[in-house]
Amino acid sequence: QCFLTTEEPEPTVNPTAGPHENPYLIGVGRADCTGPPGDVPLMGYANLEQTAAGIHTRLFSRAFIVDNGSKRVVFVTADIGMVSQRLRLEVLKELEVKYGILYRQDNVILSGTHTHSGLGGYFQYTLFMITSKGYIKPSIKAIVNGIVKSIDIAHRSIKPGRIYMSKGELEESNLNRSPHSYLNNPAEERNKYKSNTDKQVTLLKFTDLDGDGMGMLSWFAVHAVSMNYTNQMVSSDNMGYASYLLEQEKNIGFLPGEGPFVAAFASSNLGDASPNIRGPFCANTGLPCDYLNSSCPIGGLKMCVALGPAGSDMFNNTKIIGENIFKRAKDLYGKARQEVRGPLHAAHQWVNMTDVTVQLNSTHTGDPFWDGIRDALLGAPSNETQDCHQPKPILFSTGEMTWPLPWHPSIVDVQIITIGPVAIVAIPGEMTTMSGRRIREAVKQVRIKYHTHTNVVVAGLCNIYTHYITTYEEYQIQRYEGASTIYGPHTLSAYIQKFRGLAKAIAEPTELPKGPEPPFFKDSQLFSLLPAAAVDKKPINTTFGEVLERVDSEYTVGDVASVTFVAGNPRHSGDIVRDKTFVTVEKYHNSTAHWDVVHTDASWETRFHWVKNGAESNATIEWHIPLSAQAGSYRIRHFGHYKQRKGFLETVIMAYEGVSDVFRVSKIKSNY
């Protein structure tokens, strides 16, 4: 599936009316979208063995609505790997039922933060279903419900307010993981920029008319992969930790995930931008990996591991990068003075990415072993496809594979929304640094014909996932990003053409043809490779929720309190625990004789490990006691559900809870 790009005529100047002086109507909302943290594959590393086994931090959807009295636009960013076409279609169906035509495909952008520690199972195309054990209804249901609820909350909270913009740079928080590919871009183009990754942070500050903060939305280009492929806990990763820090600071007295202020850190052109800023090293020797192909003399590709600022400690890597992003955003939020004013616009099209192909000379033969296996199982790719994708060797011709369903999407969303001079370009995939720069420049040049000032934001992982989008030059190198650009070497040129068209349609304005609608496959057409969770068993003479390993009687701040319970499979909790928790840390107040919740499983300080041993399982709860913890008496509680048999064929889900012994926390170590 490829493209042949064509030149478009330059737009004619058509000045718009003056700035819209009245305040906007603004709504912000946040809702849980975690899903069942057990057995379900995590989405991002395409490793079927990396299945969820607990919670590091909960996942949230964050929504922002802006209305000028005549038009409305919505931007949502969720703590998930990416937005799939199926996910977007289901969200839009739910919104239509609730709101009619108020929220539509043209004025709603859905974006993923690209955490690789969110749940999979929410795709309708074969390749993605294979790599995430199929279509998993409880997983997609949790994400759909969370996104829709965040929009509901934003919808209900709408009130007059103002928007301010601020921009700055953030150093030592991203690294280009494919510098060799980047260097293949023209020197004169590279010389325009001082770095091979985008350091820019763009931030929108939302306030009410009294100037009180309602929320913040920012974009920065970095992969949310500080939590590496060995992690099995659901986690919002570095971008989620930045949200956690700012929301905790603004929502005084509220638990994580609660409170009125919403802080969202959204993805941008992060395709080649890694948080592992120490670069790739060979795990067996400690020496740098081969520059060109990221391999090691002994062990090859598997031994080459990229390291974050804290080395191999993924929790500290997440914390450091997240803190860097948070601190820069907090600074920019405080300095935001440039008010955003002007009309709102939205433009959207569905594009069939198979409409146009381009022929190139065939020079690469590929790997004969894998080519033979492929041809025997699936048939050789057509000459047209092989020519189109040169110099890429094709292992599986997914664009030509349609059984049991198409392996990749053909119909793709392209979309732009504008808020005054700010244009948010919704990219349906992972765009590399230079690709994002070219898109920004192309849209800016169209908009500058009609506006004195314009700011173009590249929002990544939006609306549908189509893997990577590299420049033509980067594609020739065929590193991971280029090899994963599924529509061929001219993919970026095609998107530039389409987004220029959207920008022109907004500026003129012109009614765009909708394009061919994407398929919405019936549930019966989709498949799941994840078996139903079995009936839970427990050790003899125990009960669910019973303590297996006790806490110590006393801890000092900085210590880790740990307790293990007899547990059920978290999948049995399902919707029952949505917006609730598997974990609480509680402090006793002598004056009220009451236990107050100080942490949940949405807190950075807690870790919920679920360990399965056949049909039996246990839950280990860790509380990493912060230095800010008050001295006093504490306990840890665990909540869950288990499945038991009722009669011969029927099963029933039962709730349970467990509680640790009471323990003391002190500021300094005891002498005893």
Side-chain angles (χ1 to χ4, degrees):
Q1 299 174 344
C2 288
F3 291 96
L4 179 64
T5 58
T6 58
E7 289 297 318
E8 294 182 336
E10 291 296 320
T12 56
V13 176
N14 180 18
T16 61
H20 185 76
E21 296 298 336
N22 294 327
Y24 293 119
L25 297 173
I26 298 170
V28 300
R30 175 189 53 250
D32 188 283
C33 63
T34 303
D39 291 335
V40 179
L42 302 184
M43 186 66 207
Y45 292 110
N47 177 7
L48 287 174
E49 301 303 312
Q50 190 188 20
T51 55
I55 294 177
H56 174 223
T57 56
R58 278 194 169 268
L59 311 180
F60 293 96
S61 171
R62 296 174 172 88
F64 299 81
I65 299 174
V66 182
D67 189 304
N68 67 353
S70 60
K71 292 184 179 179
R72 179 170 293 198
V73 295
V74 184
F75 186 89
V76 177
T77 178
D79 293 327
I80 57 176
M82 62 285 291
V83 175
S84 75
Q85 187 174 82
R86 179 68 179 212
L87 177 61
R88 176 168 167 81
L89 293 174
E90 291 207 12
V91 167
L92 290 172
K93 285 178 67 176
E94 292 284 331
L95 292 174
E96 184 178 15
V97 170
K98 286 192 169 193
Y99 300 105
I101 62 171
L102 183 59
Y103 300 116
R104 312 170 304 274
Q105 76 271 4
D106 65 306
N107 69 347
V108 175
I109 292 178
L110 304 182
S111 175
T113 62
H114 205 41
T115 174
H116 283 37
S117 296
L119 300 181
Y122 56 94
F123 292 80
Q124 67 172 9
Y125 292 99
T126 300
L127 182 66
F128 303 117
M129 285 195 284
I130 287 175
T131 56
S132 57
K133 294 189 179 178
Y135 178 76
I136 302 171
K137 194 69 174 178
S139 179
I140 189 170
K141 185 177 180 182
I143 303 171
V144 170
N145 289 345
I147 291 174
V148 171
K149 185 175 180 180
S150 70
I151 295 174
D152 288 340
I153 294 170
H155 178 89
R156 294 196 301 267
S157 73
I158 283 179
K159 59 183 175 181
R162 301 194 184 279
I163 304 174
Y164 301 88
M165 185 178 68
S166 186
K167 294 191 293 186
E169 294 195 341
L170 174 60
E171 299 290 343
E172 297 184 0
S173 297
N174 63 8
L175 175 83
N176 195 305
R177 67 185 189 188
S178 290
H180 181 54
S181 297
Y182 181 89
L183 284 172
N184 208 43
N185 291 307
E188 60 271 22
E189 182 179 34
R190 289 186 280 108
N191 290 339
K192 296 177 184 177
Y193 307 97
K194 61 182 182 181
S195 175
N196 61 4
T197 58
D198 276 346
K199 307 297 183 182
Q200 182 171 291
V201 178
T202 301
L203 179 146
L204 297 180
K205 173 181 179 179
F206 300 86
T207 74
D208 63 18
L209 293 184
D210 294 326
D212 294 328
M214 297 173 62
M216 181 231 63
L217 172 59
S218 78
W219 291 268
F220 177 64
V222 66
H223 256 75
V225 293
S226 292
M227 300 294 289
N228 64 40
Y229 66 93
T230 67
N231 172 54
Q232 289 191 280
M233 288 188 291
V234 169
S235 175
S236 59
D237 212 279
N238 46 45
M239 301 294 262
Y241 185 54
S243 289
Y244 171 85
L245 290 173
L246 190 53
E247 288 180 349
Q248 284 295 98
E249 184 171 292
K250 295 292 185 179
N251 295 319
I252 302 296
F254 288 92
L255 290 169
E258 300 177 3
F261 190 92
V262 177
F265 292 83
S267 60
S268 189
N269 53 320
L270 50 66
D272 51 4
S274 169
N276 299 312
I277 58 176
R278 289 175 62 178
F281 289 84
C282 295
N284 49 0
T285 66
L287 297 175
C289 302
D290 177 78
Y291 176 77
L292 295 182
N293 42 33
S294 300
S295 64
C296 299
I298 301 173
L301 295 172
K302 289 185 178 180
M303 279 293 117
C304 184
V305 178
L307 300 179
S312 59
D313 186 332
M314 60 183 170
F315 296 98
N316 276 339
N317 287 332
T318 302
K319 186 175 184 179
I320 292 168
I321 297 297
E323 281 182 340
N324 290 350
I325 298 169
F326 152 71
K327 289 176 181 177
R328 193 67 181 105
K330 178 183 175 181
D331 177 59
L332 292 172
Y333 181 90
K335 294 176 179 177
R337 298 289 185 272
Q338 180 184 347
E339 186 168 359
V340 175
R341 297 179 177 178
L344 305 179
H345 291 291
H348 171 277
Q349 277 187 310
W350 282 304
V351 178
N352 188 337
M353 300 293 268
T354 67
D355 273 351
V356 184
T357 60
V358 60
Q359 299 294 326
L360 298 174
N361 291 331
S362 179
T363 58
H364 196 108
T365 59
D367 185 314
F369 173 77
W370 284 111
D371 288 353
I373 296 294
R374 173 203 64 207
D375 296 351
L377 292 175
L378 302 167
S382 66
N383 290 335
E384 180 183 45
T385 296
Q386 293 188 68
D387 290 343
C388 168
H389 284 276
Q390 286 293 343
K392 180 192 295 182
I394 298 173
L395 177 57
F396 296 125
S397 183
T398 57
E400 298 175 306
M401 295 161 63
T402 59
W403 185 89
L405 290 168
W407 280 52
H408 269 132
S410 296
I411 298 171
V412 172
D413 294 73
V414 290
Q415 183 182 15
I416 296 176
I417 62 173
T418 62
I419 306 171
V422 180
I424 301 173
V425 181
I427 303 299
E430 302 179 56
M431 193 163 263
T432 61
T433 298
M434 193 62 84
S435 294
R437 288 167 174 171
R438 291 184 188 179
I439 283 280
R440 273 198 295 264
E441 188 61 27
V443 172
K444 181 179 179 180
Q445 288 306 314
V446 173
R447 289 198 30 100
I448 212 166
K449 301 285 186 180
Y450 304 92
H451 299 277
T452 305
H453 301 289
T454 190
N455 293 275
V456 180
V457 172
V458 167
L461 290 305
C462 292
N463 299 338
I464 178 174
Y465 186 58
T466 62
H467 296 272
Y468 284 77
I469 303 165
T470 59
T471 67
Y472 175 84
E473 294 84 358
E474 291 164 349
Y475 186 94
Q476 307 308 307
I477 302 300
Q478 282 297 293
R479 276 182 62 88
Y480 179 72
E481 295 82 9
S484 301
T485 297
I486 63 173
Y487 299 122
H490 297 288
T491 298
L492 175 61
S493 297
Y495 279 127
I496 288 174
Q497 177 177 316
K498 292 299 178 183
F499 283 114
R500 281 167 53 91
L502 295 182
K504 286 165 59 177
I506 287 174
E508 289 184 342
T510 304
E511 186 171 344
L512 288 166
K514 289 175 59 177
E517 294 197 20
F520 186 89
F521 301 116
K522 297 177 182 178
D523 283 6
S524 59
Q525 295 176 274
L526 307 174
F527 61 86
S528 176
L529 303 175
L530 180 67
V535 170
D536 289 300
K537 295 184 179 180
K538 56 184 176 58
I540 297 173
N541 297 325
T542 65
T543 59
F544 288 99
E546 183 175 322
V547 173
L548 293 175
E549 296 181 17
R550 298 183 179 281
V551 292
D552 294 341
S553 60
E554 186 169 341
Y555 295 95
T556 305
V557 292
D559 289 344
V560 178
S562 177
V563 57
T564 300
F565 301 92
V566 178
N569 191 322
R571 289 170 63 191
H572 296 320
S573 295
D575 289 339
I576 302 170
V577 296
R578 188 156 52 88
D579 296 323
K580 294 187 180 178
T581 181
F582 288 97
V583 176
T584 58
V585 177
E586 301 173 0
K587 184 178 186 298
Y588 187 74
H589 282 270
N590 292 318
S591 59
T592 61
H594 188 266
W595 289 95
D596 287 341
V597 176
V598 294
H599 297 291
T600 68
D601 60 11
S603 301
W604 174 264
E605 293 82 2
T606 62
R607 295 177 192 173
F608 163 42
H609 300 273
W610 177 64
V611 180
K612 182 166 66 171
N613 181 18
E616 293 182 4
S617 60
N618 58 53
T620 297
I621 314 299
E622 294 179 355
W623 177 33
H624 293 247
I625 305 171
L627 299 179
S628 59
Q630 297 177 359
S633 297
Y634 290 84
R635 68 183 184 185
I636 296 172
R637 297 175 75 193
H638 166 51
F639 306 87
H641 295 79
Y642 65 93
K643 181 193 286 187
Q644 68 176 15
R645 198 166 296 285
K646 182 181 180 183
F648 183 66
L649 296 175
E650 188 180 355
T651 59
V652 62
I653 303 296
M654 303 291 292
Y656 72 87
E657 61 179 79
V659 59
S660 75
D661 296 332
V662 177
F663 56 92
R664 293 282 303 172
V665 171
S666 59
K667 289 290 189 180
I668 57 174
K669 282 199 177 293
S670 168
N671 292 325
Y672 298 99

